[in-house]
Amino acid sequence: MRGSYTYSEPPAGAVTCRTCGRMNLAISRNEAERRAAEANAHRRPGDPRPPVTVAYFSCCMRPRYRPARLGDCPDGATYSSVLCERLDEGG
């Protein structure tokens, strides 16, 4: 654990990126595609922002995930969802 923060057990399905150290909730490719389609369905004609793609649900260019554990995310911190197709087996 880092700093003088308090930590709780991470939620079920949480993963931590070995590249950037952020904890997120893992979602499947089907769920990421569903969420992207849902977000794009609410776009208005002429919206200058690019459409949401599955790439939106990634935290790094080359993410490597492991199951989250106590000490990965301080109480009160925010986290989001990431596409996690496999866990990194290394320590």
Side-chain angles (χ1 to χ4, degrees), residues 4-86:
S4 60
Y5 306 111
T6 59
Y7 296 85
S8 296
E9 214 35 61
V15 294
T16 298
C17 179
R18 290 180 179 275
T19 304
C20 70
R22 288 192 55 132
M23 186 196 84
N24 297 286
L25 294 179
I27 60 172
S28 67
R29 178 165 292 277
N30 287 341
E31 179 64 12
E33 289 171 351
R34 185 192 69 75
R35 290 183 184 190
E38 186 177 303
N40 291 327
H42 295 289
R43 294 170 52 88
R44 295 178 184 221
D47 190 342
R49 297 173 296 168
V52 175
T53 65
V54 173
Y56 175 82
F57 297 97
S58 180
C59 63
C60 296
M61 292 297 291
R62 294 179 183 234
R64 298 176 307 133
Y65 300 111
R66 65 164 171 77
R69 57 183 176 238
L70 184 66
D72 285 346
C73 188
D75 288 342
T78 60
Y79 49 89
S80 58
S81 299
V82 292
L83 171 62
C84 179
E85 296 181 294
R86 69 177 187 82

